[in-house]
Amino acid sequence: MPRGRLRVYLGAAPGVGKTFAMLGEGRRGQERGRDVVVGFVETHGRSRTAELLEGMEIIPRKTLVYRGTSFTELDVDAVIERAPRIALIDELAHTNVPGSRNAKRWQDIEEILDAGIDVISTVNIQHLDSLNDVVQQITGIPQRETVPDEVVRRADQIELVDMSPEALRRRMAHGNVYAPEKVDAALSNYFRVGNLTALRELALLWAAGKVDEQLDRYRADHGIAATWEARERVVVALTGGPEGDTLVRRAARVAARTKGADLLAVHVTSADGLAGGDPANLARQRALVESLGGTYHQVVGDDIPRALLDFARGVNATQLVLGASRRGRFAQIFSRGVGVETTALSGPIDVHMITHDEAKKGRRPRQTRAALTRTRRLAGWALAVAGMPALTAALIPFKNDLSLPSEILFFLVMVVGVALIGGMWPAITAAVGGSLLLNYFFTPPVGGFTIADPENLFALIVFVLVAVMVSAVVDLAARRTREAARAGADAELLATLAGHVLRGEAAVPSLLARMRETFGLVSVTLLERRPGTGSMPDDQTDPDAWRIIATTGGAPCTSPSVADTDVVVDENLVLTARGRLLDASDRRVLEAFAAEAAVALRQQRLEEEAEQARPLAEADRMRTALLAAVSHDLRTPLASAKAAVESLGNTEIDWSEEDRRELTATAEESLNKLDRLVANLLDMSRLQAGVLGVVLQPVALEEVVPRAVDDLGPLRDRVEGDISIELPEIIADPALLERVLVNLMSNAVRYSPPEEKVLITASWHGDHVEIRVIDRGPGIPPDAHDRVFLPFQRLGDRDNHTGVGLGLALSRGLAEAMGGTLVPDETPGGGLTMILTFAISSRAHAVQAEELA
């Protein structure tokens, strides 16, 4: 059976019309004769959405009971058994009630698709996994219901339901999205113009990325290699030379001229991996590209122009930026160069050749180490100088028995041996010396350097050529072996550095210590130019112009001039090393370390700035949450009290005594609510400022608990107490403890079923007493136990009339201020238990000691 097709309506925020669009598409399908059913649709009380459901077949929902509360979910089996052509299923990212077959609704939809049924669904951009943290940063609200990006990307069709922020806010103000009592809080929080604009941009960019993927897939399926300029993409080619910084910045400016253009940097390495650009330059340029919003790529290819163009065509690039050639004019006679060759083969891709300062200097000769060690080279020279005469002396007694070709072979073996031991130049010397010895002692006429037979001359010439070629091959092989070993060591070192960073050990002192150990240095120091000192050549020797950021080992360098080796990271940062001079290859790896140290320093400073800004952000978040929550919670009791007082003061109405008592009670209750709210706010502010007055003294629970129950007013009948008079006294502030108990009991009553009573108990455990407030409500998931104690949190609530969300936060703060603790626990059989723990008083300790004696 073929798999069903998934169609997703994507929106930037609730209320843009995703469900409305989905139902509209379902109705159009019905009109075209297709079998369409509604698997699950949430109208959220919107009348126009509910009207579209009229006349459509709706699959009954499955009812599940969780912690004493009934919930309805999508009935997957019923949809599959009905087997329609199309099923409409709302809220792709929805989290199912615990006990369901699947944890997420998108998993339910996967089963329905596997059954061959097409599905139309909806999702908001904030529910995508990859954007969850971005949305939280924008809105300040974490999204607990998410769906993997891949699930949405696999959809056969994605339609963006777009609406301007102003239009959406108008819809909300008209009551077309939320109930009227929720509109003010929503408009001043999540649905601010800035939030909606940012979410809209995220949705548009994500949809554009999906369109890009579809375009790439279409081009690949149809074998289209030509560039389609649907979107500007600028590719900059990096060689690893110092000119790369200039090229990257120029390419970024080219990309910036077009809104939404992509910047990509690419470096081509040879297939053998031995020859390549400077890794330190590449690391620095990669960081620069990424800081400018681009991406870095590395490809392998021996034909650089074709490798560049293959990459550019693969990413559908429109422009390619190259640096002007550093090759000399003589070299250009034999080869046109990468730039000219790339331009000739580029086709519709625009190629920019950028001049730079390095082009004037020409290509620097590559500095290479000797292929063999000094000991082996000396041994090779010794064998060449002494071995050839010794071989000649050994062969002279047999010259009448051996032919000249046989003697040449003996000398050739000796030359190969010299090449294997000492390399090319000793071997070439041995070859030339051997040819002279062969000519003098073994080639007729013997005893002179003349050659009578032309064949002998040819044989000697071939001997010299073969000896030179063998020497060159042996030397090249040795050089390649040494380079491969060096590259392997460097790769292992850089892999160690990468692991060092991935393990979270990228702190600057740790990196410097690793450098010192790796290169056997006395000390390594990271210096930063002091602000306001400028950038003058004299600064290199002035210790006052530099400050030490981090150092490890012995005496640190106070300026770049006193270092044995220094690496300039940027215009303000210099890495200095003391102990020994490093050769070029070691310096390249050191530069990679230096680039990583600079990144670690920037990261460290960003973390410090974030840490400094965190209290301000938290204060701002709390202020925003306070204004949003209090805007309703202050207005409601004030409005009720005002209405009651105005009614009592109306002389035109003859109120009965019972009516007057009822109005008075309403005003009193509303003002009491207002008083508690203001008291909670003031106490929370005192707690955060550390100025709350706490008077600790021995307290008897059998006295405090009844007073707290009485303070609940009409709710007191919903609470049962089980407090033994034999409990010891605890250390607490009586007034504050009473406040805590009132908050906990009122919260428990609010969430308990009407037929269930809240139970408050206390028990003695050694040196402390536990007070438990037990309810039979829906409870709280274990992973949310800490969140409920954050200010302005009403976990699980979606309305704005159940309180400002300070009760539990204030209760924990007051308990801790009195030296106690407040932790949540699950009630056996369902519900939530709040456990208060306080130490017993010294008098209780004394009584306990007497009883034990």
Side-chain angles (χ1 to χ4, degrees):
M1 179 184 296
R3 178 180 165 89
R5 295 172 60 83
L6 175 62
R7 182 174 183 175
V8 176
Y9 284 93
L10 174 68
V16 296
K18 303 178 301 301
T19 304
F20 193 86
M22 178 184 70
L23 292 174
E25 179 61 26
R27 281 195 167 277
R28 287 190 291 273
Q30 279 186 328
E31 293 169 0
R32 291 191 289 266
R34 294 183 177 179
D35 185 11
V36 182
V37 302
V38 176
F40 191 103
V41 166
E42 195 65 66
T43 65
H44 298 290
R46 299 165 191 165
S47 57
R48 294 189 60 191
T49 303
E51 289 172 4
L52 284 178
L53 284 171
E54 296 177 1
M56 300 189 75
E57 180 182 350
I58 301 176
I59 302 294
R61 301 181 183 183
K62 178 185 290 187
T63 301
L64 298 170
V65 178
Y66 177 66
R67 292 186 173 178
T69 304
S70 296
F71 299 89
T72 59
E73 293 289 359
L74 170 67
D75 193 335
V76 179
D77 293 329
V79 174
I80 294 176
E81 183 180 356
R82 169 64 176 76
R85 183 71 186 88
I86 301 173
L88 309 181
I89 302 174
D90 209 3
E91 298 181 353
L92 181 65
H94 172 75
T95 300
N96 292 332
V97 173
S100 302
R101 180 161 63 193
N102 296 310
K104 294 285 189 176
R105 182 165 293 163
W106 65 264
Q107 295 170 320
D108 295 338
I109 290 176
E110 289 290 319
E111 289 190 28
I112 296 172
L113 292 171
D114 290 337
I117 301 170
D118 293 347
V119 174
I120 303 178
S121 189
T122 64
V123 71
N124 281 326
I125 194 69
Q126 69 263 28
H127 296 302
L128 297 181
D129 260 342
S130 66
L131 299 176
N132 189 261
D133 57 338
V134 179
V135 173
Q136 181 176 353
Q137 183 181 7
I138 293 170
T139 64
I141 301 173
Q143 299 293 330
R144 289 182 288 275
E145 292 189 331
T146 60
V147 59
D149 287 46
E150 185 57 29
V151 173
V152 185
R153 288 190 184 279
R154 282 202 310 264
D156 300 279
Q157 187 174 347
I158 296 178
E159 291 197 21
L160 179 65
V161 182
D162 187 34
M163 179 176 288
S164 69
E166 293 77 10
L168 179 55
R169 285 171 60 85
R170 280 197 301 271
R171 289 193 64 191
M172 293 205 55
H174 294 158
N176 295 330
V177 179
Y178 290 150
E181 65 269 15
K182 301 179 184 178
V183 171
D184 288 345
L187 289 175
S188 60
N189 284 277
Y190 192 88
F191 288 84
R192 294 196 299 267
V193 173
N195 288 359
L196 295 177
T197 302
L199 292 173
R200 186 187 188 198
E201 183 176 13
L202 283 178
L204 291 170
L205 289 175
W206 196 92
K210 175 65 177 176
V211 172
D212 262 350
E213 292 177 7
Q214 293 174 338
L215 177 61
D216 291 343
R217 192 182 308 120
Y218 178 86
R219 295 174 71 238
D221 292 344
H222 292 77
I224 301 172
T227 299
W228 286 7
E229 298 187 17
R231 184 174 182 174
E232 202 74 27
R233 286 186 176 85
V234 181
V235 174
V236 54
L238 301 177
T239 63
E243 73 280 359
D245 298 54
T246 301
L247 301 183
V248 169
R249 291 188 175 93
R250 181 59 183 273
R253 291 198 295 272
V254 172
R257 293 171 187 164
T258 304
K259 182 69 174 177
D262 293 334
L263 173 65
L264 303 92
V266 60
H267 172 65
V268 180
T269 59
S270 61
D272 58 17
L274 296 178
D278 189 327
N281 286 341
L282 289 173
R284 186 181 68 253
Q285 290 156 15
R286 176 174 186 167
L288 177 60
V289 169
E290 292 172 350
S291 70
L292 294 172
T295 57
Y296 177 85
H297 308 267
Q298 192 160 315
V299 297
V300 176
D302 289 324
D303 189 338
I304 294 178
R306 293 189 182 278
L308 283 176
L309 291 172
D310 286 346
F311 174 82
R313 294 188 181 108
V315 298
N316 202 24
T318 56
Q319 302 189 61
L320 181 60
V321 177
L322 302 173
S325 176
R326 289 182 288 162
R327 301 163 69 247
R329 293 183 180 179
F330 183 76
Q332 294 178 16
I333 296 175
F334 298 97
S335 173
R336 295 193 297 176
V338 172
V340 177
E341 190 72 20
T342 303
T343 304
L345 301 173
S346 63
I349 300 176
D350 297 335
V351 179
H352 301 263
M353 296 291 292
I354 307 300
T355 59
H356 51 86
D357 293 339
E358 299 298 322
K360 305 174 185 177
K361 303 175 183 178
R363 184 181 293 276
R364 295 185 180 92
R366 190 178 175 191
Q367 300 295 324
T368 59
R369 280 186 173 186
L372 301 173
T373 63
R374 185 170 182 272
T375 302
R376 286 186 61 178
R377 294 200 306 274
L378 291 176
W381 282 111
L383 184 60
V385 173
M388 286 300 179
L391 178 61
T392 302
L395 291 177
I396 286 176
F398 305 100
K399 65 179 180 179
N400 294 328
D401 300 325
L402 297 173
S403 63
L404 181 62
S406 299
E407 293 161 342
I408 288 176
L409 289 176
F410 279 108
F411 274 83
L412 185 58
V413 170
M414 177 62 73
V415 171
V416 171
V418 172
L420 290 173
I421 295 173
M424 183 172 65
W425 291 110
I428 290 176
T429 303
V432 173
S435 67
L436 294 176
L437 292 173
L438 282 168
N439 187 5
Y440 190 86
F441 289 101
F442 301 101
T443 304
V446 176
F449 290 104
T450 58
I451 302 174
D453 190 344
E455 290 185 5
N456 294 337
L457 176 62
F458 179 73
L460 287 174
I461 293 174
V462 170
F463 162 73
V464 173
L465 291 176
V466 169
V468 170
M469 287 188 290
V470 169
S471 303
V473 169
V474 170
D475 184 79
L476 179 61
R479 190 181 300 279
R480 289 289 188 178
T481 301
R482 189 181 186 90
E483 289 179 355
R486 181 72 194 190
D490 289 349
E492 183 178 356
L493 184 59
L494 293 174
T496 302
L497 174 61
H500 185 70
V501 175
L502 291 175
R503 288 191 299 272
E505 303 170 4
V508 177
S510 178
L511 279 172
L512 298 187
R514 184 61 62 91
M515 287 185 222
R516 188 176 68 85
E517 295 170 4
T518 300
F519 297 104
L521 300 169
V522 173
S523 68
V524 178
T525 306
L526 184 63
L527 298 176
E528 183 179 41
R529 192 185 304 275
R530 293 184 184 276
T533 58
S535 180
M536 302 296 292
D538 294 343
D539 291 347
Q540 302 298 312
T541 59
D542 183 7
D544 295 332
W546 301 88
R547 64 180 177 186
I548 297 175
I549 300 298
T551 186
T552 183
C557 299
T558 55
S559 66
S561 62
V562 300
D564 294 319
T565 302
D566 65 286
V567 175
V568 178
V569 181
D570 56 36
E571 62 181 9
N572 292 319
L573 283 178
V574 176
L575 182 71
T576 60
R578 176 177 282 170
R580 66 183 180 92
L581 290 173
L582 298 180
D583 55 37
S585 58
D586 283 341
R587 184 183 176 89
R588 290 170 63 181
V589 180
L590 184 67
E591 288 173 345
F593 267 92
E596 185 58 42
V599 171
L601 177 62
R602 284 193 291 269
Q603 181 178 355
Q604 177 181 317
R605 288 180 171 173
L606 286 174
E607 290 174 354
E608 291 172 355
E609 291 175 3
E611 191 64 32
Q612 293 173 358
R614 188 169 290 114
L616 297 176
E618 180 65 19
D620 184 66
R621 187 195 69 79
M622 289 189 64
R623 182 168 58 252
T624 302
L626 171 65
L627 292 174
V630 173
S631 63
H632 181 276
D633 291 287
L634 279 176
R635 189 164 55 241
T636 301
L638 278 175
S640 299
K642 181 180 178 182
V645 171
E646 288 178 348
S647 298
L648 287 171
N650 191 340
T651 58
E652 298 179 1
I653 301 176
D654 185 16
W655 299 105
S656 65
E657 191 62 31
E658 183 180 352
D659 291 336
R660 289 184 176 278
R661 283 198 301 271
E662 184 178 349
L663 289 172
T664 303
T666 300
E668 183 180 5
E669 182 183 356
S670 298
L671 291 174
N672 286 337
K673 285 182 179 178
L674 185 61
D675 180 65
R676 285 195 299 271
L677 172 61
V678 173
N680 283 344
L681 290 172
L682 291 174
D683 284 345
M684 178 57 71
S685 64
R686 293 190 187 105
L687 271 175
Q688 292 182 337
V691 295
L692 180 67
V694 179
V695 180
L696 297 179
Q697 62 187 58
V699 176
L701 287 178
E702 65 269 20
E703 297 176 2
V704 175
V705 172
R707 289 202 304 268
V709 173
D710 289 339
D711 287 345
L712 292 174
L715 298 178
R716 67 172 68 90
D717 296 333
R718 299 274 309 276
V719 178
E720 283 186 356
D722 183 14
I723 306 297
S724 172
I725 61 174
E726 297 180 358
L727 289 172
E729 293 178 332
I730 63 173
I731 293 297
D733 184 312
L736 296 183
L737 177 58
E738 186 176 333
R739 288 280 305 284
V740 172
L741 292 173
V742 169
N743 281 338
L744 294 180
M745 288 187 291
S746 60
N747 193 69
V749 168
R750 181 183 301 126
Y751 290 103
S752 291
E755 67 278 4
E756 296 284 350
K757 288 195 173 184
V758 172
L759 180 63
I760 178 168
T761 67
S763 54
W764 183 10
H765 303 276
D767 60 351
H768 65 275
V769 170
E770 289 185 355
I771 308 167
R772 294 173 178 264
V773 179
I774 305 168
D775 68 55
R776 294 290 180 179
I780 298 173
D783 59 351
H785 279 180
D786 287 334
R787 280 209 312 276
V788 298
F789 292 107
L790 297 176
F792 315 113
Q793 295 290 319
R794 293 187 295 271
L795 198 65
D797 294 344
R798 296 195 178 186
D799 56 36
N800 216 29
H801 59 272
T802 56
V804 76
L806 275 176
L808 292 179
L810 180 59
S811 297
R812 171 174 274 188
L814 293 176
E816 292 175 349
M818 292 184 286
T821 61
L822 174 61
V823 295
D825 194 11
E826 294 184 7
T827 302
L832 181 69
T833 297
M834 286 292 181
I835 305 173
L836 273 167
T837 304
F838 289 99
I840 64 177
S841 67
S842 56
R843 287 188 302 194
H845 271 296
V847 172
Q848 184 182 25
E850 289 178 3
E851 292 176 351
L852 291 175

